[in-house]
Amino acid sequence: MELADLFPLIIVAVLVIGIAILFTFVPVMLWISALAAGVRISIFTLVGMRLRRVVPKMVINPLIKAHKAGLAVNTNQLESHYLAGGNVDRVVNALIAAQRANIELSFERCAAIDLAGRDVLEAVQMSVNPKVIETPFIAGVAMDGIEIKAKSRITVRANIDRLVGGAGEDTVIARVGEGIVSTIGSSESHNKVLENPDIISQNVLSKGLDAGTAFEILSIDIADIDIGKNIGAILQTDQAEADKNIAQAKAEERRAMAVAREQENIAKVQEMQAKVVEAEALVPQALAEALRNGNMGVMDYVNYKNVLADTDMREMIGKLSKHENDEHDENK
């Protein structure tokens, strides 16, 4: 086969490859879809998106959706939001939902909310359909010392103007919990709280707890309320136990001091007894000296011995009488 015969086939192959490259690099079908939807966009704009590493369908499809919904957005806005790392489709859906709900929301604010990391579509939906946040059981102690546990349901809706920089659900739950504890703590009796739980929700709601948050609190309702421990009685018991321990410690201290004084007195008695024994040891010497010097006669010495014997006998009789009385008391 000659070169002249192959030339038409080469031309056809080049055309096929060129068309394939064209349809691959240039989203012709997407351009046709946009024209069919009434979105006037140049094919060169789509090529420019490819060059800027923008996925055309991520911009054109939301643009078609916005055009059909009557939103005034353009390609540059959507493309810049895509390049900034935002979710173009979610932003357009949020704008459509806000328009249907008659909520004023501009593209710039919507894009800022999306770039801030918040789900702007969910926020718009929450503005239309408020969300209920349920708190865990929060315990507070009334003035009479009775613990009360309350669980509340907080109905909130998103505040579009405060979504950027506003506090989240955790802050709302913490503030409501603080308000519940404060309300219960200021009640004179737990019975008043049990009889009228609405005082908790009314008092907490009047504090303006949604200030600085991304929500607007619509209502706070007490879902469940229960009695806890008698904290006052527990504290009094603990205090009494502490006082008892202190008193016992002081009594032990006094007992130890008394024992120490008793030992001191015993030591003094023994010391005095030693002195008495020492003095008694000098008596025979004095008697002998008196007899030698003639200051004392034999009869005086005999009378002295009789007195000692009589004294010893009386002491022995006294000890025997005491022993008999002790035995009689034990027998009784």
Side-chain angles (χ1 to χ4, degrees), residues 145-205:
I146 304 299
E147 181 186 38
I148 298 178
K149 299 178 180 179
K151 179 189 290 185
S152 64
R153 289 191 177 96
I154 312 166
T155 304
V156 297
R157 67 181 177 191
N159 191 326
I160 303 296
D161 295 333
R162 292 203 300 257
L163 276 178
V164 178
E169 293 183 12
D170 294 338
T171 301
V172 174
I173 293 175
R175 291 181 179 180
V176 171
E178 181 183 356
I180 292 175
V181 173
S182 175
T183 303
I184 294 175
S186 61
S187 301
E188 296 181 357
S189 173
H190 69 284
N191 291 323
K192 292 185 178 180
V193 181
L194 295 177
E195 292 172 359
N196 188 16
D198 289 342
I199 62 175
I200 298 178
S201 56
Q202 293 172 2
N203 191 18
V204 174
L205 193 60

Side-chain angles (χ1 to χ4, degrees), residues 11-222:
I11 294 176
V12 172
V14 171
L15 289 176
V16 171
I17 294 173
I19 292 172
I21 294 174
L22 177 65
F23 277 87
T24 302
F25 190 75
V26 180
V28 178
M29 297 305 298
L30 189 62
W31 175 66
I32 294 173
S33 298
L35 292 179
V39 178
R40 305 188 65 179
I41 187 170
S42 172
I43 190 71
F44 298 103
T45 302
L46 299 178
V47 174
M49 289 182 185
R50 290 285 192 187
L51 296 174
R52 289 188 293 272
R53 296 184 179 182
V54 176
V55 180
K57 67 177 182 179
M58 300 299 294
V59 175
I60 300 303
N61 288 335
L63 182 63
I64 294 173
K65 192 188 302 183
H67 177 74
K68 288 298 184 180
L71 297 177
V73 295
N74 54 53
T75 309
N76 290 331
Q77 289 177 319
L78 300 181
E79 188 175 351
S80 64
H81 186 64
Y82 177 85
L83 291 172
N87 191 322
V88 178
D89 191 62
R90 185 165 56 194
V91 168
V92 171
N93 289 338
L95 290 173
I96 294 173
Q99 183 190 45
R100 296 292 188 269
N102 198 22
I103 298 174
E104 185 178 353
L105 180 63
S106 63
F107 177 83
E108 287 74 15
R109 179 174 291 277
C110 188
I113 295 172
D114 183 65
L115 292 176
R118 294 191 180 271
D119 193 337
V120 62
L121 179 59
E122 181 183 357
V124 173
Q125 293 172 346
M126 194 186 300
S127 297
V128 178
N129 185 21
K131 179 181 180 180
V132 177
I133 303 173
E134 185 169 317
T135 66
F137 272 107
I138 299 171
V141 181
M143 291 184 179
D144 58 358
I146 304 299
E147 181 186 38
I148 298 178
K149 299 178 180 179
K151 179 189 290 185
S152 64
R153 289 191 177 96
I154 312 166
T155 304
V156 297
R157 67 181 177 191
N159 191 326
I160 303 296
D161 295 333
R162 292 203 300 257
L163 276 178
V164 178
E169 293 183 12
D170 294 338
T171 301
V172 174
I173 293 175
R175 291 181 179 180
V176 171
E178 181 183 356
I180 292 175
V181 173
S182 175
T183 303
I184 294 175
S186 61
S187 301
E188 296 181 357
S189 173
H190 69 284
N191 291 323
K192 292 185 178 180
V193 181
L194 295 177
E195 292 172 359
N196 188 16
D198 289 342
I199 62 175
I200 298 178
S201 56
Q202 293 172 2
N203 191 18
V204 174
L205 193 60
S206 64
K207 293 180 179 295
L209 303 179
D210 54 2
T213 66
F215 304 99
E216 178 184 353
I217 298 178
L218 301 179
S219 66
I220 299 175
D221 305 302
I222 302 300

Side-chain angles (χ1 to χ4, degrees), residues 234-252 254:
I234 294 175
L235 293 177
Q236 291 177 358
T237 302
D238 293 341
Q239 184 63 43
E241 184 68 20
D243 294 340
K244 185 190 76 172
N245 293 334
I246 294 173
Q248 288 178 345
K250 291 182 178 179
E252 183 65 22
R254 290 193 297 270

